[in-house]
Amino acid sequence: TQKEQDFEALYQRHKDKIYRLCLGFVREKELANDLFQEILIKIWRHLESFKGESDISTWIYRISYNTALTFSTKEKKKADQETEIPESLDLAEP
C-alpha cells in the first residue's frame, strides 16, 4: 500500500536520528530498542493524520521526543519504586 511505502521511506531516512534520540533518553540498549519500537508504532498509527503544516522531519522529531520523554519518565518511576525500601521492614538497630 501507499502508506507502507511512505512509512518505509520515512523509516530509512530517519531511523538513525530516532535511535540516537532513544539512546540519549534511556542509555540502556534494551530500553532504547523498546522506545525505538514504540516511536515507530506511533509514527505508523498517526502517519495519515500528518497535515503537512510543518516538515515531516519536524513532525517525526516531535513524536519521537514526546514519546521518549514519557517513556523515560515511566522508566525512572519504575526504577525508583524498585529501589524503595518497604515501610513494613523494621530497620531499627537491634
Side-chain angles (χ1 to χ4, degrees), residues 15-26:
K15 65 181 178 178
D16 294 338
K17 289 180 200 163
I18 294 169
Y19 194 72
R20 277 194 302 275
L21 182 132
C22 293
L23 284 172
F25 269 88
V26 293

Side-chain angles (χ1 to χ4, degrees), residues 37-85:
Q37 189 169 12
E38 194 169 314
I39 290 168
L40 293 177
I41 289 168
K42 282 195 177 179
I43 291 169
W44 171 260
R45 285 186 181 151
H46 299 284
L47 190 56
E48 292 161 338
S49 68
F50 175 66
K51 295 177 179 76
E53 293 169 355
S54 64
D55 190 69
I56 190 120
S57 61
T58 304
W59 181 78
I60 288 171
Y61 178 78
R62 282 190 197 133
I63 288 175
S64 301
Y65 184 86
N66 290 333
T67 304
L69 194 58
T70 302
F71 185 92
S72 64
T73 302
K74 283 181 196 171
E75 286 302 316
K76 184 175 178 347
K77 282 182 184 175
K78 196 186 310 179
D80 288 348
Q81 289 172 348
E82 290 170 0
T83 57
E84 287 180 11
I85 297 172

